[in-house]
Amino acid sequence: MSEIFSLTMGDYYELSLFLANFIDETRSQQFWLNKLNLWWDNNPAFSTDLERGFILRDKEKIVGFYGLIPLKFQLFGKEKIVYGGTTWRVLPEFRGDSLKLFYKIMMYASKNSILFHCTPNKDAAKITEAFGFQLIPKDGNQEKSSFLIINFKKTSGKYFNSKVLISFFALVLRIFQSFRLRILYEKEVSNVRQVTW
C-alpha cells in the first residue's frame, strides 16, 4: 500500500533518478536535479514553510510524484503566493493512487490560494474538469489550461452585497465542493489513466 509524503531536499537525488528513469523519459538525472533546484531552492517565491510537492512511496521506494512550484502573483492589488502544478507522474502499477496524489495537491494548494494545472492533453483535461477546474482558452484555439480558485468569499462577493449573504454563500460553496471532491475521489480512483506530459 503506497503512502503520500511531503517532498524534502533529502529526496532530490532519489526523485531525480525516478524522473530520469520514468517511462519514455529522455532527459538525464542531472537535468532533473537542476529542475528541482530551480523550482524551489533558487526560486525567490519559495520559503521553507511551503510544500515543494508530494511523493508517493511504496515500501520506501518512490512510485509517484506531483510538484508544486510557488509563484509570486498579484491578485486584487496584493502580492500572494500561488502554485503551478508540475510533473504528475505515477508508475503504471500504482495508477490507482494517482488521484489520491492529485487530491492531496489540491487540498494543500487551494488553502487561500490558486492552483494552476497544465492540461496538455484531453485525458488530463477530463480529470481536472471533473474536479471543478475552470478552463481558460489559449489564444482562441481549442487547447486549454486549467486552474482551481478556492476563495469562496471573493467569488460570492461578485453576486451578493450583504456580508451575511456572502459568508453564507461561501460556506455553502465550500461544503458543496468538499462533498463533491470526496465523492469524485472515492468513485473515480479506479478510472485513472496514464497522462503523457
Side-chain angles (χ1 to χ4, degrees), residues 51-64:
E51 291 283 0
R52 292 172 169 88
F54 298 94
I55 50 178
L56 196 61
R57 286 189 179 275
D58 181 67
K59 299 176 185 170
E60 304 297 317
K61 177 184 169 190
I62 294 178
V63 296

Side-chain angles (χ1 to χ4, degrees), residues 154-162 165-166 169 173:
K154 285 187 179 164
T155 302
S156 38
K158 292 181 180 182
Y159 302 100
F160 302 102
N161 292 329
S162 160
L165 283 175
I166 288 171
F169 189 63
L173 281 176

Side-chain angles (χ1 to χ4, degrees), residues 114-129:
I114 298 171
L115 171 62
F116 291 93
H117 175 74
C118 230
T119 55
N121 64 42
K122 291 178 184 177
D123 292 333
K126 286 177 189 174
I127 293 170
T128 55
E129 283 182 83

Side-chain angles (χ1 to χ4, degrees), residues 85-142:
T86 187
T87 322
W88 183 13
R89 299 201 177 166
V90 178
L91 292 177
E93 58 269 32
F94 295 94
R95 287 279 150 72
D97 293 331
S98 289
L99 286 186
K100 193 164 72 170
L101 192 57
F102 186 58
Y103 184 79
K104 180 78 171 179
I105 288 288
M106 285 197 318
M107 291 303 99
Y108 173 78
S110 65
K111 292 177 186 171
N112 301 311
S113 191
I114 298 171
L115 171 62
F116 291 93
H117 175 74
C118 230
T119 55
N121 64 42
K122 291 178 184 177
D123 292 333
K126 286 177 189 174
I127 293 170
T128 55
E129 283 182 83
F131 276 95
F133 276 61
Q134 179 70 41
L135 299 177
I136 304 173
K138 282 198 249 177
D139 304 322
N141 65 29
Q142 299 294 32

Side-chain angles (χ1 to χ4, degrees), residues 24-95:
D24 297 328
E25 180 58 62
T26 58
R27 293 164 291 190
S28 70
Q29 180 186 8
Q30 190 57 53
F31 169 87
W32 285 109
L33 276 173
N34 292 343
K35 279 282 191 192
L36 302 179
N37 281 299
L38 178 68
W39 291 340
W40 300 298
D41 305 325
N42 297 322
N43 178 351
F46 179 73
S47 63
T48 54
D49 61 324
L50 300 176
E51 291 283 0
R52 292 172 169 88
F54 298 94
I55 50 178
L56 196 61
R57 286 189 179 275
D58 181 67
K59 299 176 185 170
E60 304 297 317
K61 177 184 169 190
I62 294 178
V63 296
F65 167 68
Y66 193 119
L68 281 173
I69 303 171
L71 309 160
K72 290 186 179 182
F73 195 80
Q74 191 174 79
L75 191 62
F76 302 109
K78 294 182 180 176
E79 184 179 277
K80 71 181 295 147
I81 297 294
V82 300
Y83 299 94
T86 187
T87 322
W88 183 13
R89 299 201 177 166
V90 178
L91 292 177
E93 58 269 32
F94 295 94
R95 287 279 150 72

